[in-house]
Amino acid sequence: MKSSYKITNLCFYAIVIIISVLVIGFPPHNTLCYDVFGYYMYLPLAFKYHDITIQDYSTITHLLDTYHASETFYQAVHWDNGNWVMRYPIGLSVLFTPFYFIGDIIARFTDYPTDGFSKPYQLSILYGCLIYTIIGLYFVKKILTHFFNDNISAITLFCIALGTNYLFHVSLHGQGAMSHNILFSLYAVIIYLTIQWHQTYLRNYMILLGLFIGISALCRPSEIISVLIPLCYGIVNLKSVKDKLQLLLHYKIQIIYFILVIFSVGFIQFAYWKYASGKFMINPYGAGNPGEGLELFHPHILEVLFSFRKGWFIYTPLMLFTVTGFIYMYRNNKPLFTPVFIYFIINFYIVSCWSCWWYGACFGVRSLIPSYAALSIPLGYCVMHILNSRRKYAYMAVIFLCIVLNLFQSWQLNAGIMDSTNMSRAYYFSTFLQTTSPTTEQKKLLLKGKFSDGIEVFTKDDSLTHSLAYASLLDFEKEHKHINPLFLCDTLKHTGKYSYVTNPQNPDSPAIEMMYKDISKKSYTWIKASVWLYSQYPADSINAVFSIELKHRGYTFKYKGYRLDNSNFKPNQWNKLEYYYLTPDDLRSKKDEVKTFFSNKSKYPVYVDDLLLESYEPIIDKSVF
């Protein structure tokens, strides 16, 4: 680093101090919770409990009960061979390893339990990720000062760190331990090494490139696209493609090392999968969570960019300057434009193809944060253009306002004024620049969907804002392909001539199954399911459940089961069970199936009649735009 970059250095130190104060001064209640719990679990399972496939599930029960890291153990999948397989990749655990052992050593000299999750472990991982944050910022600084002067480098670094959702996701609520922060740092190193290799062609740079690209893919498999950065570097036309191929052939031994290093790092994940599941290649995330996944032919590009739920340009408007900067980057640095632009387009498309395109509880589009290391370069070229413009003071004023807005909205989210999941346009403008907690009326403006408060009650207000869109009745009076005539009963019925008997020989009633597209055209709907039941036996002797579920390609991804008990069922009379079910709004497909049915696992007969499914969709579907 040249000593003349005084402003950039001061800016870097100031950013490091700000982030460090936030991380150290406002630590989360539990760093190792929810998704981080899944990324981290490899380490205590391997080194503390020596049970990497979780043969003793009481370990998980104890940890969840003690540290309340998650309501359920969604971070792993119970595989067909009886082993538990971690859903999340192993890469972050690899990077957490030195800090895990530091925490373990510290715990041994304190009164905290050495269980892998007590305070010494949590703080060690938290501060370790802070070190990774600083490393990432340092290499972004080195990249910027390689291409730009002191003023441009300082402004660009300041914009990336404080003018985007990067700040929130590296410093608050333990978000720095998530993959987005770590991947940002890895990309910064990858870009720096790419530049260095193309200037020197030294073997060590190529080996390190393979190492960091391999680790990136080990943290998140889709990050294997980071290989595009060194692969496309220097390509500006057809002739340069030929030149690049000749260059790679000339250094073919280095390329072999590069490939071997990537596969060697990747083998860590393959070896774990083989040991835990019996196969080298599996998809534990898809197997354990059919409700979310990559839909490459159904991108949510407009939602990711412009929605008030999580729109990138809405919550990180500074990135409009970055996208504009590609124009000036193309004019000034074509060899670097090609890899950065191609990487950005492909990465953005992959991010937009995730069915849960808003990525749960977060600020803005957190899955784009790793790309900010690369996007700092076109942003730098945009800043360079602005500083040479006649209207530079107007543009700089807009940039300043974007930074202030980002800082203020980060505070709003941290204070609970902005919602981390279900923002709507109406709620956004209702709470814009608000400094007090949202009112009950304001909260009604939020979107409904999968990530609600978990309480699914169709209220009086809901009845005024929703209308019946579809109804299907199964009364067993007509022939139906799933009705076995042997189990029709004409002596006990609620209405009509027949009811349907469930017993040990016939435990499940016929189901009402409909595709989502047939019951609603809106983004979500309320399902009202009801059934009439009769038995001579009391509820406490009957093991029976009335179920509603949503399925994707045969796999259930949201299930609600309502068990018979003494509060909802009386013997020797017809009892009506009626429940509401809020469909999640991250449907993989409009062809996903809604299903309701009754299941009787007891030895006593239960008679079923008038199974009804109704869909109450919103009259005005609150748009994410």
Side-chain angles (χ1 to χ4, degrees), residues 255-548:
I255 302 304
I256 292 173
Y257 287 148
F258 172 76
I259 295 172
L260 286 176
V261 170
I262 291 177
F263 275 97
S264 297
V265 174
F267 187 76
I268 299 172
Q269 185 69 67
F270 299 141
Y272 166 75
W273 281 340
K274 177 64 176 176
Y275 180 78
S277 73
K279 298 179 180 179
F280 280 110
M281 290 287 290
I282 62 172
N283 181 14
Y285 195 93
N289 186 15
E292 289 184 38
L294 201 62
E295 299 288 342
L296 288 174
F297 299 104
H298 299 284
H300 302 273
I301 293 173
L302 293 179
E303 291 90 340
V304 172
L305 287 177
F306 300 109
S307 75
F308 281 91
R309 187 168 202 173
K310 288 291 172 65
W312 195 38
F313 292 151
I314 299 295
Y315 294 97
T316 315
L318 190 67
M319 281 302 166
L320 287 165
F321 290 94
T322 298
V323 174
T324 305
F326 275 113
I327 299 172
Y328 310 114
M329 186 180 181
Y330 178 78
R331 295 173 182 173
N332 291 275
N333 193 339
K334 291 181 182 179
L336 190 56
F337 167 84
T338 303
V340 173
F341 185 73
I342 291 176
Y343 156 74
F344 168 69
I345 292 298
I346 294 176
N347 180 68
F348 178 83
Y349 186 82
I350 292 173
V351 167
S352 71
C353 286
W354 194 252
S355 60
C356 181
W357 53 267
W358 58 94
Y359 290 88
C362 58
F363 179 38
V365 188
R366 64 181 177 184
S367 287
L368 287 175
I369 290 174
S371 66
Y372 291 178
L375 293 178
S376 66
I377 303 172
L379 179 58
Y381 279 105
C382 184
V383 171
M384 182 177 70
H385 175 78
I386 287 172
L387 293 181
N388 293 324
S389 169
R390 294 179 180 179
R391 301 175 181 174
K392 63 180 179 181
Y393 294 111
Y395 286 128
M396 292 305 298
V398 173
I399 289 177
F400 176 76
L401 290 176
C402 286
I403 294 172
V404 172
L405 179 64
N406 177 75
L407 295 174
F408 181 74
Q409 290 188 334
S410 298
W411 172 83
Q412 275 189 313
L413 185 62
N414 189 56
I417 298 170
M418 286 181 61
D419 188 83
S420 64
T421 306
N422 292 319
M423 290 291 292
S424 68
R425 178 179 57 196
Y427 186 87
Y428 179 88
F429 285 111
S430 175
T431 57
F432 188 71
L433 301 183
Q434 184 169 308
T435 58
T436 57
S437 298
T439 65
T440 302
E441 290 301 312
Q442 285 178 313
K443 290 181 180 180
K444 291 179 181 179
L445 300 174
L446 291 168
L447 299 173
K448 289 185 180 292
K450 179 178 179 180
F451 295 95
S452 61
D453 58 8
I455 303 172
E456 297 189 348
V457 178
F458 192 74
T459 65
K460 182 178 180 180
D461 287 340
D462 288 321
S463 68
L464 298 175
T465 56
H466 294 73
S467 62
L468 180 65
Y470 177 85
S472 178
L473 175 66
L474 184 57
D475 58 8
F476 308 105
E477 304 301 315
K478 300 177 182 178
E479 291 186 4
H480 188 280
K481 62 180 180 179
H482 295 304
I483 294 178
N484 188 336
L486 296 176
F487 296 99
L488 289 174
C489 174
D490 59 2
T491 57
L492 284 170
K493 62 272 188 183
H494 176 249
T495 61
K497 297 180 180 180
Y498 301 103
S499 65
Y500 195 78
V501 183
T502 60
N503 55 32
Q505 292 74 40
N506 185 47
D508 297 329
S509 75
I512 296 178
E513 294 182 81
M514 302 297 301
M515 289 187 184
Y516 184 87
K517 67 182 181 64
D518 295 326
I519 66 172
S520 179
K521 305 300 181 185
K522 303 295 180 70
S523 64
Y524 78 93
T525 189
W526 280 96
I527 299 296
K528 178 183 178 182
S530 62
V531 67
W532 288 87
L533 304 172
Y534 181 98
S535 181
Q536 297 175 320
Y537 301 91
D540 53 15
S541 65
I542 299 174
N543 178 18
V545 179
F546 181 38
S547 302
I548 312 170

Side-chain angles (χ1 to χ4, degrees), residues 135-136 139 143 184-194 209 212:
I135 291 173
F139 277 96
I143 294 166
F184 172 92
S185 297
L186 289 170
Y187 268 101
V189 177
I190 289 169
I191 295 167
Y192 175 78
L193 291 172
T194 296
L209 258 177
F212 282 96

Side-chain angles (χ1 to χ4, degrees), residues 7 43 47 89 119 125-126 140 161 165 168 204 225 233 236 276 280 299 316 326 358 360 372 438 452 540 551 568 619:
I7 301 176
L43 293 171
F47 298 113
K119 189 62 71 175
I125 297 298
L126 183 68
V140 169
N165 54 344
F168 184 92
N204 288 344
I225 65 171
Y233 187 94
V236 297
F280 280 110
T316 315
F326 275 113
W358 58 94
Y372 291 178
S452 61
D540 53 15
K551 303 177 75 174
N568 59 29
I619 298 172

